[in-house]
Structures are given as C-alpha cells and as structure tokens.
Amino acid sequence: MVSLPELDMSGFLADPRGSRGAAFVRALLEACHGPGFCYLRGHGVPPALDRSILAVARRFFALPESERRALAIASSPHFRGYTALGGERTRGASDWREQLDAGPEEEAEALSSRDPAWRRVRGPNQWPPSLPEMRGGVLEWMGAMDGVGLAVLRALALGLGQPLDHFDRYVLPRGDPHIKISRYPAQSAVAGSGSEVTSGSDSSSSSCADGDQGVGWHHDSGLVSFVLQDEVGGLEVEVAGERIEATPRRGTYVMNLGEMLQAATAGFLRATLHRVKSPPPGRARISIAYFFHPRLESIFEPIALAAELAARAPGGQNADPRDPVFSTFGENYLKIRMRSHPDVAARYYADVALRSG
C-alpha cells in the first residue's frame, strides 16, 4: 500500500547546502514527484502557535450563529469572511463545512474598468468583534507559515537544478496567500445522502445533501499548501488509484503542491487529487489550511529541467479540458473562487466571464 512520507526539514533550515539539507531536498523532490503529498516536521513553527490558532478557531465556531453569519463572505468582494454549511461548492456539489476565509490584511485597491478583475480579491478581512484576539493570532500564524512556504520553495528550486532563490520573486516581499479556518461537523449515526449533521456549535440540525463530502475531490491551484489538523482525520489523497488517508500526526503539517508548479515543471511536480470526508458520528474536525500563493500578477514560465528529470515529466495539465491552468495566477485564483462561491460571483463579478480555455 502507498503511504505518505514524513520529512524533517530542520536540517535544511539550519544549512540548506549541508548534508542534512541536501538529504531533505532529495526526499522532498521525490515526495513531490511521487504522491505529491507528505508530512512535514521540523518546520520551525512553535507548537504553542499551532495550539493557539486551533484554540481560537474553536472559540470562533462556538460563537452564536448570528455572530458568525454577520461576517458573511457574500458581503465581501474579496472572498473574505464566513461561509455557513453547504455555502461553498467543489465541482458543483456543496461542501459540508463552515469556515472563515482570510488573507493578508490590506485595503482594497483603487481600480479602473481596465484593470483585470482578479485584482478585486485584495482587500480587508472580516473578524468577529467579540473575539478580538483572533485577528492578531491568525495573522501571526500566517506570518510564520510564510517562512515555511519560502523554505519549501527554495528546497524545490535546488532539487530542480535552479538557484536557491529561483521562486523568491513570486512571493517576496510577499505573495497573496489564503487561509481557511474550517469546522467539519460530525455525521449522524445514519450518515449518508440526506443524513442530518449538527450545523454548528448550537443544537440545530440541517440536511447534508451530498453524503460524506466535507470537501469534494479537487486539485489545489497555487504553489504549496499546508494543513494543520486536529486529532480527527478525514483528509484523503488519491495516489496511483488508491485512496490514502492523511491521518493526523502530532507536530506535522500535511503539505501538497498546486497546479502552478505542476504546469511549470511539465508535470514532474505533482498536484494531486484530494478531498475531505465528513467526520464520524460524535466527532467534529477543525483544520487550518494555508495556501502559500504567489502574487496574483505572477506569470509562471516553464522551468528547464535536467534530462533525467524531464524524462520523468508526463505533462503539466490535469486531464480536464474544462479546467485549464492559466499562466497568470490571479486568473486561476479568481476562476476557482467564483466557482466555489457563486453568491459572491453574482454580486460582485457579474461582468466577468469564466474562460474555459
């Protein structure tokens, strides 16, 4: 059976070109070419910081439903805010989770009709007034994760035969990252299509129309993604036709790649299909997903691979002609956000036509 490798990046952080750093580069390259997923430890983020963001996430989802809904993502042209159960969609089906989406804290840009529509996604976040510690705690964790993401990109650059700083221009002085703070309610004892699950921290229930879909099968779109999980599992990865459970491991992040890196390396680096299934009866799941995205303006060009790597590159596009990967990241990002949140798209992007190729 295929399993996801666990990699320790502490040696690379200490000395990227030392023997332990070089061993990490080799292991990371094979993990990203093979399953496309791995567990990452030795990342340098203090455990207390991970515990803190999980704790503030639990406090957020324990707020009265009216307070959470006051931060509705439908009120934000930047796709920032709260989404209730079933409010986000993957491949047209409702995802059964509630979540808070955020990004870098910034003012909306002053734009003209000539500017690309994807520039509208930059702007302020929405935070709960009754939980003032959430803003600082989330932004602090995001800042720490930026360092992890940059280190991973630098290791991949070396593994691909490029200078250490090859990818720096896409993310420095900063990229356009995205965080999802999610809660997956437990399935009921009669889980399945049409079953009832608890819809929040209160005692109300709601119909789960899409069975055990926490999040449907999909590929990530950007550079590198990291998931901090609590002790409840649910993340599944499709590798060589097998469904592999990415069960939680203390002290690690689950890491995977996005389609921009896959396209740039003609498929040598892999953006792997994955999903989240709803937790079992009696359990709810909290996860923090961090998408270390490049600047929206970033245009990825093919990377010249050494012959031995190029021979193992099957091609850069996932086999879905309805969902092409565009060279400008902002266009990819807006495409996905509009499909996931048709309410935001209808309200703020009615003038935008989604390209299919």
Side-chain angles (χ1 to χ4, degrees), residues 53-351:
I53 194 171
L54 286 170
V56 81
R58 293 187 182 98
R59 292 197 295 274
F60 173 74
F61 292 117
L63 292 175
E65 185 176 0
S66 59
E67 291 190 34
R68 303 195 304 275
R69 287 184 178 272
L71 310 176
I73 198 169
S75 300
S76 168
H78 320 298
F79 297 92
R80 314 283 181 92
Y82 174 74
T83 303
L85 290 173
E88 187 171 41
R89 304 181 71 80
T90 299
R91 295 190 173 183
S94 295
D95 294 328
W96 207 243
R97 63 177 170 180
E98 56 176 330
Q99 64 194 22
L100 186 73
D101 286 81
E105 195 66 76
E106 57 195 336
E107 295 298 320
E109 294 187 90
L111 302 175
S112 73
S113 59
R114 297 185 300 276
D115 290 308
W118 45 257
R119 289 184 62 181
R120 301 178 204 169
V121 304
R122 292 192 180 116
N125 298 305
Q126 298 191 75
W127 305 107
S130 62
L131 201 60
E133 69 271 26
M134 188 174 198
R135 179 185 186 275
V138 170
L139 294 178
E140 182 181 7
W141 189 82
M142 290 174 66
M145 294 307 299
D146 284 344
V148 180
L150 180 61
V152 166
L153 287 182
R154 287 177 169 176
L156 287 174
L158 291 178
L160 293 169
Q162 305 299 313
L164 179 78
D165 62 355
H166 177 82
F167 295 112
D168 284 18
R169 63 187 183 275
Y170 300 118
V171 295
L172 292 180
R174 51 149 281 201
D176 278 298
H178 174 202
I179 187 172
K180 280 183 177 290
I181 301 170
S182 302
R183 177 182 180 273
Y184 299 83
Q187 298 180 45
S188 75
V190 289
S193 181
S195 65
E196 288 190 344
V197 295
T198 304
S199 65
S201 56
D202 56 21
S203 60
S204 61
S205 293
S206 195
S207 174
C208 179
D210 297 306
D212 70 348
Q213 177 171 314
V215 177
W217 290 102
H218 66 284
H219 302 92
D220 287 350
S221 62
L223 295 177
V224 188
S225 305
F226 303 94
V227 180
L228 172 63
Q229 308 183 82
D230 67 6
E231 69 281 0
V232 180
L235 178 59
E236 292 185 330
V237 181
E238 185 178 278
V239 180
E242 287 187 52
R243 292 187 180 184
I244 309 301
E245 293 190 5
T247 54
R249 296 184 187 178
R250 187 180 298 275
T252 71
Y253 303 126
V254 176
M255 191 205 88
N256 65 285
L257 302 185
E259 291 179 305
M260 297 296 282
L261 283 176
Q262 178 171 277
T265 60
F268 178 81
L269 299 180
R270 186 188 303 272
T272 302
L273 269 176
H274 56 286
R275 74 157 188 164
V276 178
K277 63 181 179 180
S278 294
R283 308 293 297 274
R285 177 179 186 261
I286 298 290
S287 75
I288 317 292
Y290 193 64
F291 305 97
F292 188 60
H293 288 328
R295 290 291 286 176
L296 296 173
E297 295 89 348
S298 297
I299 298 176
F300 268 49
E301 299 175 351
I303 296 172
L305 300 176
E308 62 269 23
L309 301 184
R312 301 163 64 194
Q317 289 275 2
N318 286 314
D320 187 350
R322 300 165 302 174
D323 195 24
V325 178
F326 303 121
S327 60
T328 302
F329 175 68
E331 193 169 2
N332 285 306
Y333 184 68
L334 180 60
K335 170 193 69 176
I336 291 168
R337 301 302 279 155
M338 288 178 65
R339 289 175 178 171
S340 298
H341 291 279
D343 50 352
V344 179
R347 186 170 183 179
Y348 297 106
Y349 294 88
D351 59 317

